[in-house]
């Protein structure tokens, strides 16, 4: 099965994606994380991408296309793919469908985790990310055992530049403008699975599994 998981910032899609790939063994293609790693390299576009990301803007469809094309060719992709963080607009939606079609496959489901703007802002302002390994914590719902220190690698926890209020607002607007049309399109194509995201993590997970018929 190939699926995409979408939701506004703070919807918990990253957490759910990790649980899903753990349980079902799909290849996890998390574009945000891939791009954050890319900016740490001496890639010719690293500086430009970093600038866009820090402002909460999207990287170009060309860059994304390169990233996805490379990922999709990975060995593990044969077991199924979970797209996390893409498609963020209709062009990317078309691109993912095209890349899968070339492999004789399709995007079976689009999971949309729905939360209000207020909840999104509340959750995002308390999010902290490990600067070393990228693990995500939340001061309210998933605090680190020792404040400010990553449970896994002992790296420092920081608020990402794009988790600051101004950037969050921009990212939420972008979601409404660019990603909601993808969700509407998936609804028309009968691949949409809509999930209520303002529930405990475990309940949201069970709802996803149930709605996917797994
Ligand atoms: P995320 O971790 O998914 O919130 O992504 C962080 C940032 O990475 C976004 O604000 C964008 O700048 C960039 N990014 C991640 N995925 C995409 C995508 N599919 N298309 C364009 N930019 C992306």
């Amino acid at each position: 099965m190939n699926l995409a998981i979408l939701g506004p910032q703070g919807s918990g899609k990253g957490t759910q994606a990790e649980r899903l790939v753990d349980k079902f063994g799909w290849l996890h293609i998390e574009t945000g994380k891939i791009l954050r790693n890319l900016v740490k390299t001496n890639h010719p576009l690293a500086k430009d991408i970093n600038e866009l990301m820090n402002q909460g803007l999207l990287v170009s469809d060309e860059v994304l296309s390169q990233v996805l094309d490379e990922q999709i060719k990975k060995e593990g992709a044969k077991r199924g793919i979970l797209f996390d963080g893409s498609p963020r607009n209709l062009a990317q939606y078309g691109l993912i469908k095209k890349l899968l079609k070339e492999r004789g496959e399709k995007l079976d489901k689009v999971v949309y985790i729905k939360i209000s703007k207020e909840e999104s802002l509340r959750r995002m302002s308390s999010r902290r990310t490990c600067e070393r390994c990228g693990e995500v914590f939340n001061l309210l719902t998933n605090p680190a055992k020792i404040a400010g220190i990553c449970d896994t690698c002992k790296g420092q926890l920081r608020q990402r530049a794009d988790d600051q209020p101004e950037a969050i607002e921009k990212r939420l607007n972008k979601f409404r403008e660019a990603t909601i049309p993808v969700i509407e399109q998936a609804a028309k194509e009968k691949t949409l699975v809509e999930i209520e995201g303002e529930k405990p993590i475990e309940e949201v997970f069970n709802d996803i599994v149930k709605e996917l018929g797994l």
Side-chain angles (χ1 to χ4, degrees), residues 9-207:
Q9 284 64 35
S11 61
K13 72 176 165 57
T15 306
Q16 298 297 338
E18 285 193 1
R19 291 188 164 217
L20 287 165
V21 293
D22 267 2
K23 189 167 168 106
F24 299 106
W26 300 316
L27 176 70
H28 188 188
I29 301 186
E30 186 187 352
T31 45
K33 192 168 180 181
I34 296 165
L35 292 167
R36 275 190 293 282
N37 285 335
L38 198 146
V39 302
K40 290 185 202 148
T41 68
N42 56 5
H43 189 280
L45 291 173
K47 203 162 161 270
D48 292 349
I49 294 175
N50 190 34
E51 196 112 309
L52 287 171
M53 288 180 79
N54 282 344
Q55 290 181 55
L57 299 172
L58 293 186
V59 309
S60 71
D61 291 339
E62 289 73 33
V63 169
L64 196 86
S65 162
Q66 278 180 35
V67 167
L68 289 179
D69 193 40
E70 200 175 292
Q71 294 290 319
I72 252 172
K73 290 184 181 134
K74 284 191 172 171
E75 191 56 33
K78 293 196 186 82
R79 296 191 306 266
I81 301 173
L82 177 61
F83 294 92
D84 170 5
S86 63
R88 270 177 146 94
N89 58 31
L90 284 171
Q92 294 182 9
Y93 184 49
L95 171 75
I96 287 176
K97 289 201 289 189
K98 177 175 147 268
L99 290 172
L100 289 170
K101 199 168 174 199
E102 284 167 5
R103 297 161 53 89
E105 294 176 27
K106 61 184 171 52
L107 190 61
D108 300 284
K109 294 283 179 196
V110 173
V111 177
Y112 169 34
I113 307 186
K114 216 172 157 180
I115 61 166
S116 66
K117 182 178 174 188
E118 293 68 35
E119 182 65 8
S120 184
L121 285 167
R122 194 179 74 89
R123 290 185 185 179
M124 294 299 287
S125 52
S126 48
R127 185 156 99 158
R128 298 292 181 271
T129 307
C130 174
E131 62 179 11
R132 196 185 296 162
C133 74
E135 189 162 335
V136 179
F137 296 83
N138 191 294
L139 300 178
L140 302 171
T141 54
N142 175 31
K145 291 194 185 92
I146 305 168
I149 306 289
C150 176
D151 290 355
T152 310
C153 78
K154 307 288 172 225
Q156 294 279 329
L157 302 184
R158 301 246 184 265
Q159 188 167 33
R160 268 166 45 183
D162 60 352
D163 282 349
Q164 312 280 343
E166 212 176 294
I168 297 174
E169 192 82 34
K170 255 195 221 163
R171 292 162 77 199
L172 286 175
N173 288 340
K174 195 78 208 168
F175 181 82
R176 206 169 325 128
E177 212 181 279
T179 315
I180 290 291
V182 174
I183 289 159
E184 290 168 350
Q185 185 61 28
K188 281 189 202 145
E189 294 171 8
K190 308 259 183 279
T191 53
L192 184 69
V193 170
E194 210 169 299
I195 301 287
E196 172 52 62
E198 292 189 33
K199 290 185 185 178
I201 291 174
E202 201 56 43
E203 266 182 59
V204 174
F205 182 72
N206 291 337
D207 287 351

